[in-house]
Amino acid sequence: MSATGEQEILTECRERFRLALAAETENRVEALTDIRFANGVQWPIDIKRDRDIDGRPCLTINITDAMVRRVTNNLRENRPRIKYHPVGDGADVQKAKVRTGLVRHIEEASNAEYAYDCALESSVRGGWGYIRVGSKYVEERSFDQDLTIEAVRNPFTVYLDPNSQAPDGSDAAWCVVSELIRREDYRLRYGAIDSTGWSYMGDGDNQQDWANKEEIRIAEYWRIVPKMATLHLLSDGSTRFADELPRAESMEQAGITSIRTRLVLRKTVEWHLVSATKVLDSRDWPGKFIPVVPVYGREVDLNGKVVRKGMVRDLRDIARMYNYSMTAKTEVYALMPKAPWLIAEGQMEGHEAAWRDANRKPIVALPYKPTIGPNGELMPPPQRQPPPQPNAGFA
């Protein structure tokens, strides 16, 4: 690849990355809050700090995670599956079964269940997740490749074309996927490490920035390049693009002619692996869609702005209210005295240990020392007071 073409790809990748970042920042911030909330970070930082300093309870009863797991566990019991149906000319049930069997093999070999679970878990908690379709060599001594269905553990590393509207992302024109790899692996594969890097990443993907002491970030840049091509309808009923036609002599010998043509917008999917300053690798993907499939939770189009969220977003205030009420209830009950005894001064003398354990041990009898009042009268024996009643509001 020429230096001009390489720079063009890097510039286009950065510009599109910034476009996705600008469109997704608000959704990313809210999704991060949702994920942390479902993971137990449910108290505002300043309130929790003040209560910790004062030694006051700050309870988190995580009912949100329990509600989320009800949904995700149900999805695990009924995972989606790819199935072929015979529809159209030349299709039959047997061919559909064979192709379904091939897909089952791909799912089993690539542990697709984990990929489906990751995508669904991310969409339920944060609002969206992703599944990737890829390929890998069968073994290190082979040139044969198998298709794979791969998981995306961190959906924030994916920056998909914000103009995509299809629920499966099939209309996306580009996509950027960032990844952190070890510096030793980078040197082994691509040589010297870049000295500069991108100045920022998106929320949920910026913990390590573009590079750190142990790792360096690279990015996969997928793009669809449309080109006008001439499609030929041949006399034998087949169709071929102009660059796929055999030589004229071969067509004449076979008695095949072009009987009709039309212009077609032909799409090529390109894959580029880029670092901060150079293109590390490039190739064409043998398909017509970018192999990154989004799994969305709830989508709302608010005057052209797409808001995505999972089920945690609307549970946050309910969970906070529950945490506040249970903490206040616990705090009040903890400060309430246990059922006290009303005694005259000196009646515990000589029996302090027994009275000290009166509310902690099942003592059969409590001895006391009779005492004389200031006017010479005999003071009544100790009397137990009724225990404090629970707060009606808490009940």
Side-chain angles (χ1 to χ4, degrees), residues 196-239:
T196 59
W198 288 4
S199 58
Y200 59 91
M201 299 299 294
D203 290 281
D205 189 30
N206 59 354
Q207 188 68 29
Q208 307 293 338
D209 207 353
W210 188 256
N212 57 54
K213 293 181 180 179
E214 300 295 333
E215 298 172 308
I216 187 168
R217 191 183 297 273
I218 57 177
E220 298 175 74
Y221 175 43
W222 298 87
R223 68 173 183 174
I224 291 179
V225 180
K227 297 178 181 178
M228 296 304 299
T230 303
L231 182 67
H232 291 260
L233 175 62
L234 304 182
S235 56
D236 61 354
S238 62
T239 58

Side-chain angles (χ1 to χ4, degrees), residues 121-143:
E121 185 92 16
S122 298
S123 64
V124 171
R125 291 179 182 271
W128 69 89
Y130 294 98
I131 300 171
R132 294 195 55 175
V133 178
S135 63
K136 65 177 181 180
Y137 288 102
V138 176
E139 59 177 353
E140 61 182 9
R141 290 180 175 271
S142 174
F143 286 93

Side-chain angles (χ1 to χ4, degrees), residues 46 60 168:
D46 52 345
T60 300
D168 57 356

Side-chain angles (χ1 to χ4, degrees), residues 91-108:
D92 60 58
V93 175
Q94 188 58 35
K95 289 181 181 179
K97 288 183 177 179
V98 171
R99 294 191 177 188
T100 300
L102 292 173
V103 171
R104 289 287 184 272
H105 170 72
I106 294 172
E107 290 180 324
E108 291 295 330

